[in-house]
Amino acid sequence: GNSSEEGGKGGVVTAKKDSTLDPANILVVVIAAVILVYASHRALRPPFVDMSPGSAEAEAYEEVAEAGEMQLQTTFVFVVVASCSLMLIFYFMSAMAVLITILFSFIAALALGALIYPYADAWTNNRFSKEMDIPWLGPIPQLFFVLLPFCGAVVLGWLLTKSWILNNVLAISLIIFFLTSVRLSSLKVASCLLILAFFYDIFWVFLSSNIFGQNVMVKVATGLDVPIKILVPLIFSTGSTLQFTLIGLGDIVLPGLLLCFAMRFDDSKGISLTSGYFSKTLIGYCIGLTICEVVVGCYHLAQPAMIYLVP
């Protein structure tokens, strides 16, 4: 969700109660839109891959993409698993915080490697494309081991400094990794997923305190310091400490699945991206997120963005 509450989310200082709407609130919308446009294009046509009909690379990519297709029953499992994970972290925060940090660090390093891999491969003229057979893991390209120290250094730098820039690099990598690994099989699945996410957000943000005595979502969000949010420094902030507005990755990833589906549909029907469903879905996303950011910036209330985005 989005936040501009005074205080900290995982050590992050957000806007003071007396501050007004900041340009950073609108910049969040622009950043989210740019990420989604890139991720949708990359999910449709990966960089430096021959996606012409009938090519061996296109068929291999399609086979992998179909394996990551989300079906109707998966959407219910997704929400149930997310809810159970929230509960586990809520009740066992201190025990799970270290484990989750290690897990996210590992996944973030892989995601960053996957993000830059095709560009590094092209830049080195495929010099490290040869695969090495590693016990338990199977064939791994040599480039993986070339990129590993760099990705590890970025994650280590974030762990040691908690830099908001490194946080954003890892968060963006995670978004693109997810959107290029998972896709929706139909509009019915997209509708089901987003409607479930809508009620999931409402329950855990607004109703959970009545049952559990505390706001479960806020406690988990403030207790975990992992790259699950994009931080944008406030331009008109006062004081010596940087203040931020933020957007949770779920508010980009879940609508992003629908955007990827819309682009794939437009492409399959030969419809221009500017006149098809993709552009209209993207405009709707930007309008919903802008409304959310205006509410956050003006009233400083923590808002689950999905309640604005899903409608």
Side-chain angles (χ1 to χ4, degrees):
N2 292 61
S3 175
S4 268
E5 290 181 305
E6 188 174 5
K9 276 209 168 194
V12 175
V13 179
T14 48
K16 295 177 180 177
K17 296 287 185 185
D18 58 353
S19 59
T20 56
L21 185 67
D22 191 276
N25 293 107
I26 306 306
L27 191 57
V28 165
V29 181
V30 175
I31 291 169
V34 169
I35 292 168
L36 286 175
V37 169
Y38 172 77
S40 300
H41 275 283
R42 179 155 173 167
L44 183 66
R45 289 190 176 84
F48 312 109
V49 174
D50 179 13
M51 293 299 288
S52 55
S55 76
E57 285 183 320
E59 287 177 4
Y61 178 74
E62 187 61 26
E63 192 176 320
V64 172
E66 283 181 3
E69 220 166 60
M70 188 178 278
Q71 305 297 331
L72 191 62
Q73 62 270 25
T74 319
T75 62
F76 292 96
V77 174
F78 180 82
V79 173
V80 169
V81 169
S83 297
C84 291
S85 301
L86 264 184
M87 291 298 301
L88 276 172
I89 299 166
F90 176 72
Y91 282 115
F92 306 104
M93 177 74 75
S94 56
M96 297 194 71
V98 175
L99 177 65
I100 291 168
T101 301
I102 293 169
L103 184 64
F104 263 91
S105 298
F106 177 72
I107 296 170
L110 287 179
L112 179 59
L115 176 64
I116 62 178
Y117 185 95
Y119 302 105
D121 199 27
W123 184 62
T124 56
N125 295 315
N126 310 111
R127 199 176 302 136
F128 302 101
S129 293
K130 187 179 177 182
E131 293 183 334
M132 299 168 62
D133 199 22
I134 307 298
W136 307 105
L137 298 175
I140 305 289
Q142 291 176 346
L143 186 58
F144 173 83
F145 299 100
V146 175
L147 293 176
L148 192 62
F150 169 76
C151 297
V154 172
V155 171
L156 185 62
W158 167 75
L159 282 168
L160 295 175
T161 66
K162 298 299 180 183
S163 160
W164 67 271
I165 296 173
L166 294 180
N167 172 90
N168 288 355
V169 168
L170 296 176
I172 291 167
S173 301
L174 286 167
I175 293 167
I176 294 165
F177 182 70
F178 188 89
L179 291 177
T180 52
S181 304
V182 178
R183 73 181 193 185
L184 301 172
S185 56
S186 68
L187 189 60
K188 183 195 290 183
V189 174
S191 302
C192 184
L193 176 66
L194 291 173
I195 289 168
L196 286 171
F198 176 81
F199 288 109
Y200 168 90
D201 259 7
I202 287 175
F203 176 78
W204 289 113
V205 174
F206 296 121
L207 304 177
S208 61
S209 55
N210 297 327
I211 300 170
F212 302 101
Q214 277 182 283
N215 188 316
V216 174
M217 185 74 86
V218 169
K219 186 184 176 185
V220 169
T222 54
L224 288 180
D225 192 6
V226 288
I228 52 172
K229 51 193 174 282
I230 289 176
L231 303 168
V232 181
L234 298 179
I235 295 167
F236 298 144
S237 64
T238 55
S240 57
T241 308
L242 269 181
Q243 296 164 26
F244 296 90
T245 186
L246 58 91
I247 180 169
L249 297 201
D251 300 328
I252 302 177
V253 165
L254 296 181
L257 288 170
L258 178 59
L259 278 159
C260 290
F261 177 82
M263 182 179 281
R264 205 165 81 245
F265 180 84
D266 287 346
D267 183 73
S268 69
K269 300 295 182 184
I271 303 170
S272 163
L273 293 180
T274 54
S275 59
Y277 288 103
F278 175 78
S279 58
K280 294 175 179 63
T281 309
L282 183 62
I283 289 167
Y285 176 82
C286 290
I287 291 170
L289 191 57
T290 301
I291 294 169
C292 179
E293 285 296 330
V294 169
V295 171
V296 165
C298 292
Y299 300 105
H300 307 291
L301 300 169
Q303 296 291 298
M306 295 302 281
I307 67 173
Y308 301 90
L309 294 173
V310 173

